Amino acid sequence: LSKGIRIDGVNYGSIKIELEKEGANSWLKISLTEGKNREIKKVLQYFGLEVNRLIRISFGPFILGNLATGKIREIPRKTLKDTLGKLINK
């Protein structure tokens, strides 16, 4: 999956998967380069796996930590500039 995969005519970019916990309900840590609609569920279903629960732990370079569901946190402009550099407007 590190080189990407094509499923039902859709190209998915590089996906990195690490096994965190193995058992009846295994935990996987999945890193995406794109994040298309329902990408994780579709790719895992292609391999015969069922997704019971997804927990986002980061978004790009930003770690969500203990941010509660439905809550937001403002990112200071300096942090955005330092993290994203020229990708943001000045």
Side-chain angles (χ1 to χ4, degrees):
L1 289 174
S2 64
K3 294 181 181 179
I5 188 169
R6 183 179 180 95
I7 301 172
D8 296 330
V10 178
N11 291 319
Y12 296 100
S14 175
I15 301 172
K16 180 181 174 186
I17 300 180
E18 297 175 45
L19 181 61
E20 296 275 315
K21 177 184 167 191
E22 192 171 2
N25 285 304
S26 297
W27 286 72
L28 304 174
K29 183 175 182 180
I30 301 175
S31 300
L32 305 175
T33 54
E34 293 178 283
K36 292 181 178 172
N37 188 34
R38 303 191 193 322
E39 179 173 348
I40 293 172
K41 290 183 179 187
K42 289 177 182 177
V43 170
L44 293 180
Q45 181 180 24
Y46 178 79
F47 291 103
L49 301 171
E50 179 184 350
V51 175
N52 295 322
R53 184 174 168 194
L54 289 172
I55 302 170
R56 184 185 298 265
I57 59 173
S58 66
F59 188 84
F62 304 105
I63 306 300
L64 300 177
N66 60 359
L67 187 65
T69 301
K71 299 296 180 185
I72 62 172
R73 183 182 319 145
E74 183 174 355
I75 300 170
R77 186 153 190 80
K78 181 176 180 352
T79 302
L80 282 175
K81 188 175 180 183
D82 291 348
T83 305
L84 301 176
K86 296 179 181 178
L87 296 176
I88 64 170
N89 294 329
K90 294 183 179 184

mmCIF file of all heavy atoms in Angstrom, residues 1-5 11-17 29-37 39-40 43 56 58-61 87:
data_model
loop_
_atom_site.group_PDB
_atom_site.id
_atom_site.type_symbol
_atom_site.label_atom_id
_atom_site.label_comp_id
_atom_site.label_asym_id
_atom_site.label_seq_id
_atom_site.Cartn_x
_atom_site.Cartn_y
_atom_site.Cartn_z
ATOM 1 N N LEU A 1 0.804 -1.209 0.000
ATOM 2 C CA LEU A 1 0.000 0.000 0.000
ATOM 3 C C LEU A 1 0.842 1.266 0.000
ATOM 4 O O LEU A 1 0.329 2.336 -0.271
ATOM 5 C CB LEU A 1 -0.942 -0.002 1.207
ATOM 6 C CG LEU A 1 -2.087 -1.014 1.138
ATOM 7 C CD1 LEU A 1 -2.865 -1.025 2.452
ATOM 8 C CD2 LEU A 1 -3.018 -0.728 -0.014
ATOM 9 N N SER A 2 2.099 1.135 0.312
ATOM 10 C CA SER A 2 2.960 2.319 0.369
ATOM 11 C C SER A 2 3.115 2.983 -0.999
ATOM 12 O O SER A 2 3.433 4.165 -1.077
ATOM 13 C CB SER A 2 4.328 1.974 0.947
ATOM 14 O OG SER A 2 4.999 1.072 0.100
ATOM 15 N N LYS A 3 2.856 2.228 -2.067
ATOM 16 C CA LYS A 3 2.956 2.783 -3.427
ATOM 17 C C LYS A 3 1.589 3.201 -3.962
ATOM 18 O O LYS A 3 1.476 3.629 -5.101
ATOM 19 C CB LYS A 3 3.594 1.762 -4.363
ATOM 20 C CG LYS A 3 5.035 1.466 -4.021
ATOM 21 C CD LYS A 3 5.633 0.474 -4.971
ATOM 22 C CE LYS A 3 7.072 0.178 -4.576
ATOM 23 N NZ LYS A 3 7.698 -0.805 -5.461
ATOM 24 N N GLY A 4 0.554 3.060 -3.140
ATOM 25 C CA GLY A 4 -0.797 3.387 -3.594
ATOM 26 C C GLY A 4 -1.490 2.151 -4.128
ATOM 27 O O GLY A 4 -0.877 1.095 -4.294
ATOM 28 N N ILE A 5 -2.789 2.286 -4.393
ATOM 29 C CA ILE A 5 -3.570 1.162 -4.875
ATOM 30 C C ILE A 5 -4.736 1.688 -5.713
ATOM 31 O O ILE A 5 -5.211 2.805 -5.499
ATOM 32 C CB ILE A 5 -4.090 0.297 -3.698
ATOM 33 C CG1 ILE A 5 -4.738 -0.987 -4.199
ATOM 34 C CG2 ILE A 5 -5.034 1.080 -2.806
ATOM 35 C CD1 ILE A 5 -5.036 -2.005 -3.106
ATOM 36 N N ASN A 11 -7.871 5.649 -7.901
ATOM 37 C CA ASN A 11 -6.487 5.581 -7.439
ATOM 38 C C ASN A 11 -6.377 6.195 -6.056
ATOM 39 O O ASN A 11 -6.795 7.337 -5.842
ATOM 40 C CB ASN A 11 -5.557 6.335 -8.396
ATOM 41 C CG ASN A 11 -5.436 5.639 -9.721
ATOM 42 O OD1 ASN A 11 -5.333 4.419 -9.786
ATOM 43 N ND2 ASN A 11 -5.473 6.398 -10.790
ATOM 44 N N TYR A 12 -5.827 5.429 -5.122
ATOM 45 C CA TYR A 12 -5.577 5.918 -3.770
ATOM 46 C C TYR A 12 -4.076 6.071 -3.605
ATOM 47 O O TYR A 12 -3.309 5.206 -4.014
ATOM 48 C CB TYR A 12 -6.128 4.943 -2.728
ATOM 49 C CG TYR A 12 -7.637 4.810 -2.790
ATOM 50 C CD1 TYR A 12 -8.233 3.739 -3.430
ATOM 51 C CD2 TYR A 12 -8.452 5.773 -2.213
ATOM 52 C CE1 TYR A 12 -9.617 3.624 -3.496
ATOM 53 C CE2 TYR A 12 -9.841 5.668 -2.270
ATOM 54 C CZ TYR A 12 -10.412 4.596 -2.910
ATOM 55 O OH TYR A 12 -11.780 4.498 -2.975
ATOM 56 N N GLY A 13 -3.657 7.171 -2.996
ATOM 57 C CA GLY A 13 -2.235 7.439 -2.797
ATOM 58 C C GLY A 13 -1.630 6.525 -1.748
ATOM 59 O O GLY A 13 -2.268 5.594 -1.238
ATOM 60 N N SER A 14 -0.416 6.825 -1.417
ATOM 61 C CA SER A 14 0.342 6.032 -0.449
ATOM 62 C C SER A 14 -0.387 5.923 0.889
ATOM 63 O O SER A 14 -0.915 6.901 1.401
ATOM 64 C CB SER A 14 1.706 6.690 -0.236
ATOM 65 O OG SER A 14 2.422 6.026 0.761
ATOM 66 N N ILE A 15 -0.419 4.702 1.432
ATOM 67 C CA ILE A 15 -1.046 4.441 2.730
ATOM 68 C C ILE A 15 -0.053 3.647 3.568
ATOM 69 O O ILE A 15 0.468 2.626 3.125
ATOM 70 C CB ILE A 15 -2.351 3.625 2.568
ATOM 71 C CG1 ILE A 15 -3.346 4.377 1.685
ATOM 72 C CG2 ILE A 15 -2.962 3.317 3.935
ATOM 73 C CD1 ILE A 15 -4.573 3.565 1.310
ATOM 74 N N LYS A 16 0.187 4.137 4.773
ATOM 75 C CA LYS A 16 1.079 3.439 5.697
ATOM 76 C C LYS A 16 0.222 2.852 6.811
ATOM 77 O O LYS A 16 -0.594 3.549 7.406
ATOM 78 C CB LYS A 16 2.101 4.415 6.284
ATOM 79 C CG LYS A 16 3.070 3.792 7.251
ATOM 80 C CD LYS A 16 4.023 4.840 7.796
ATOM 81 C CE LYS A 16 4.896 4.239 8.873
ATOM 82 N NZ LYS A 16 5.739 5.254 9.520
ATOM 83 N N ILE A 17 0.393 1.560 7.090
ATOM 84 C CA ILE A 17 -0.390 0.894 8.128
ATOM 85 C C ILE A 17 0.545 0.222 9.123
ATOM 86 O O ILE A 17 1.464 -0.499 8.745
ATOM 87 C CB ILE A 17 -1.350 -0.159 7.523
ATOM 88 C CG1 ILE A 17 -2.323 0.503 6.566
ATOM 89 C CG2 ILE A 17 -2.094 -0.904 8.636
ATOM 90 C CD1 ILE A 17 -3.306 -0.444 5.908
ATOM 91 N N LYS A 29 -2.873 1.694 12.999
ATOM 92 C CA LYS A 29 -2.565 3.111 12.855
ATOM 93 C C LYS A 29 -2.323 3.340 11.369
ATOM 94 O O LYS A 29 -1.410 2.738 10.789
ATOM 95 C CB LYS A 29 -1.331 3.488 13.668
ATOM 96 C CG LYS A 29 -1.009 4.959 13.620
ATOM 97 C CD LYS A 29 0.150 5.276 14.551
ATOM 98 C CE LYS A 29 0.447 6.750 14.549
ATOM 99 N NZ LYS A 29 1.572 7.057 15.461
ATOM 100 N N ILE A 30 -3.170 4.158 10.753
ATOM 101 C CA ILE A 30 -3.128 4.346 9.306
ATOM 102 C C ILE A 30 -2.800 5.793 8.988
ATOM 103 O O ILE A 30 -3.437 6.711 9.494
ATOM 104 C CB ILE A 30 -4.481 3.947 8.680
ATOM 105 C CG1 ILE A 30 -4.782 2.479 9.007
ATOM 106 C CG2 ILE A 30 -4.472 4.201 7.177
ATOM 107 C CD1 ILE A 30 -6.148 2.009 8.549
ATOM 108 N N SER A 31 -1.810 5.991 8.134
ATOM 109 C CA SER A 31 -1.415 7.327 7.696
ATOM 110 C C SER A 31 -1.703 7.456 6.214
ATOM 111 O O SER A 31 -1.243 6.632 5.408
ATOM 112 C CB SER A 31 0.075 7.559 7.950
ATOM 113 O OG SER A 31 0.365 7.433 9.317
ATOM 114 N N LEU A 32 -2.472 8.471 5.857
ATOM 115 C CA LEU A 32 -2.849 8.706 4.465
ATOM 116 C C LEU A 32 -2.107 9.910 3.906
ATOM 117 O O LEU A 32 -1.775 10.832 4.648
ATOM 118 C CB LEU A 32 -4.353 8.998 4.364
ATOM 119 C CG LEU A 32 -5.309 7.982 4.958
ATOM 120 C CD1 LEU A 32 -6.727 8.511 4.874
ATOM 121 C CD2 LEU A 32 -5.194 6.671 4.222
ATOM 122 N N THR A 33 -1.942 9.922 2.595
ATOM 123 C CA THR A 33 -1.360 11.097 1.960
ATOM 124 C C THR A 33 -2.437 11.981 1.348
ATOM 125 O O THR A 33 -2.217 13.153 1.120
ATOM 126 C CB THR A 33 -0.356 10.697 0.851
ATOM 127 O OG1 THR A 33 -1.003 9.825 -0.070
ATOM 128 C CG2 THR A 33 0.846 10.000 1.441
ATOM 129 N N GLU A 34 -3.624 11.414 1.084
ATOM 130 C CA GLU A 34 -4.693 12.186 0.460
ATOM 131 C C GLU A 34 -5.908 12.321 1.367
ATOM 132 O O GLU A 34 -6.254 13.403 1.785
ATOM 133 C CB GLU A 34 -5.146 11.531 -0.845
ATOM 134 C CG GLU A 34 -4.106 11.559 -1.935
ATOM 135 C CD GLU A 34 -4.600 10.852 -3.164
ATOM 136 O OE1 GLU A 34 -4.595 9.614 -3.169
ATOM 137 O OE2 GLU A 34 -5.000 11.562 -4.102
ATOM 138 N N GLY A 35 -6.598 11.238 1.627
ATOM 139 C CA GLY A 35 -7.805 11.277 2.439
ATOM 140 C C GLY A 35 -9.060 11.439 1.619
ATOM 141 O O GLY A 35 -9.853 12.348 1.843
ATOM 142 N N LYS A 36 -9.271 10.584 0.641
ATOM 143 C CA LYS A 36 -10.498 10.621 -0.161
ATOM 144 C C LYS A 36 -11.679 10.114 0.658
ATOM 145 O O LYS A 36 -11.513 9.489 1.706
ATOM 146 C CB LYS A 36 -10.331 9.762 -1.414
ATOM 147 C CG LYS A 36 -9.327 10.331 -2.385
ATOM 148 C CD LYS A 36 -9.202 9.484 -3.617
ATOM 149 C CE LYS A 36 -8.207 10.120 -4.578
ATOM 150 N NZ LYS A 36 -7.912 9.253 -5.697
ATOM 151 N N ASN A 37 -12.876 10.366 0.166
ATOM 152 C CA ASN A 37 -14.103 9.975 0.846
ATOM 153 C C ASN A 37 -14.121 8.488 1.195
ATOM 154 O O ASN A 37 -14.004 7.647 0.327
ATOM 155 C CB ASN A 37 -15.302 10.328 -0.045
ATOM 156 C CG ASN A 37 -16.624 10.133 0.634
ATOM 157 O OD1 ASN A 37 -16.735 10.340 1.834
ATOM 158 N ND2 ASN A 37 -17.617 9.737 -0.112
ATOM 159 N N GLU A 39 -12.005 6.550 2.341
ATOM 160 C CA GLU A 39 -10.836 5.837 1.818
ATOM 161 C C GLU A 39 -10.420 4.661 2.691
ATOM 162 O O GLU A 39 -10.185 3.557 2.187
ATOM 163 C CB GLU A 39 -9.665 6.806 1.662
ATOM 164 C CG GLU A 39 -8.403 6.149 1.149
ATOM 165 C CD GLU A 39 -7.306 7.146 0.849
ATOM 166 O OE1 GLU A 39 -7.552 8.355 0.818
ATOM 167 O OE2 GLU A 39 -6.172 6.683 0.639
ATOM 168 N N ILE A 40 -10.324 4.863 3.981
ATOM 169 C CA ILE A 40 -9.877 3.791 4.868
ATOM 170 C C ILE A 40 -10.830 2.610 4.812
ATOM 171 O O ILE A 40 -10.415 1.461 4.649
ATOM 172 C CB ILE A 40 -9.713 4.299 6.318
ATOM 173 C CG1 ILE A 40 -8.554 5.301 6.378
ATOM 174 C CG2 ILE A 40 -9.472 3.139 7.279
ATOM 175 C CD1 ILE A 40 -8.414 6.008 7.704
ATOM 176 N N VAL A 43 -10.568 0.768 1.318
ATOM 177 C CA VAL A 43 -9.327 0.019 1.123
ATOM 178 C C VAL A 43 -9.311 -1.229 2.010
ATOM 179 O O VAL A 43 -8.973 -2.322 1.548
ATOM 180 C CB VAL A 43 -8.091 0.910 1.375
ATOM 181 C CG1 VAL A 43 -6.818 0.087 1.418
ATOM 182 C CG2 VAL A 43 -7.988 1.986 0.297
ATOM 183 N N ARG A 56 -9.626 9.879 14.538
ATOM 184 C CA ARG A 56 -8.607 10.745 13.933
ATOM 185 C C ARG A 56 -7.695 11.250 15.044
ATOM 186 O O ARG A 56 -8.169 11.779 16.045
ATOM 187 C CB ARG A 56 -9.244 11.925 13.211
ATOM 188 C CG ARG A 56 -8.218 12.794 12.499
ATOM 189 C CD ARG A 56 -8.848 14.034 11.896
ATOM 190 N NE ARG A 56 -9.842 13.723 10.896
ATOM 191 C CZ ARG A 56 -9.608 13.664 9.576
ATOM 192 N NH1 ARG A 56 -8.392 13.874 9.127
ATOM 193 N NH2 ARG A 56 -10.572 13.392 8.742
ATOM 194 N N SER A 58 -4.656 13.004 14.136
ATOM 195 C CA SER A 58 -3.989 14.207 13.647
ATOM 196 C C SER A 58 -4.586 14.589 12.295
ATOM 197 O O SER A 58 -5.253 13.788 11.637
ATOM 198 C CB SER A 58 -2.479 13.988 13.514
ATOM 199 O OG SER A 58 -2.204 13.043 12.513
ATOM 200 N N PHE A 59 -4.331 15.823 11.926
ATOM 201 C CA PHE A 59 -4.764 16.334 10.635
ATOM 202 C C PHE A 59 -3.579 17.093 10.076
ATOM 203 O O PHE A 59 -3.230 18.165 10.568
ATOM 204 C CB PHE A 59 -5.981 17.256 10.798
ATOM 205 C CG PHE A 59 -6.597 17.653 9.504
ATOM 206 C CD1 PHE A 59 -7.512 16.830 8.885
ATOM 207 C CD2 PHE A 59 -6.247 18.845 8.893
ATOM 208 C CE1 PHE A 59 -8.078 17.188 7.676
ATOM 209 C CE2 PHE A 59 -6.803 19.213 7.690
ATOM 210 C CZ PHE A 59 -7.731 18.383 7.079
ATOM 211 N N GLY A 60 -2.930 16.491 9.073
ATOM 212 C CA GLY A 60 -1.701 17.090 8.572
ATOM 213 C C GLY A 60 -0.675 17.162 9.689
ATOM 214 O O GLY A 60 -0.501 16.208 10.441
ATOM 215 N N PRO A 61 -0.059 18.309 9.871
ATOM 216 C CA PRO A 61 0.968 18.433 10.904
ATOM 217 C C PRO A 61 0.407 18.711 12.301
ATOM 218 O O PRO A 61 1.157 18.859 13.246
ATOM 219 C CB PRO A 61 1.798 19.625 10.418
ATOM 220 C CG PRO A 61 0.807 20.472 9.682
ATOM 221 C CD PRO A 61 -0.133 19.494 9.022
ATOM 222 N N LEU A 87 2.527 28.077 2.213
ATOM 223 C CA LEU A 87 1.225 27.563 1.785
ATOM 224 C C LEU A 87 0.068 28.450 2.211
ATOM 225 O O LEU A 87 -1.031 28.325 1.703
ATOM 226 C CB LEU A 87 1.012 26.146 2.315
ATOM 227 C CG LEU A 87 1.976 25.083 1.785
ATOM 228 C CD1 LEU A 87 1.696 23.752 2.476
ATOM 229 C CD2 LEU A 87 1.821 24.925 0.279
#
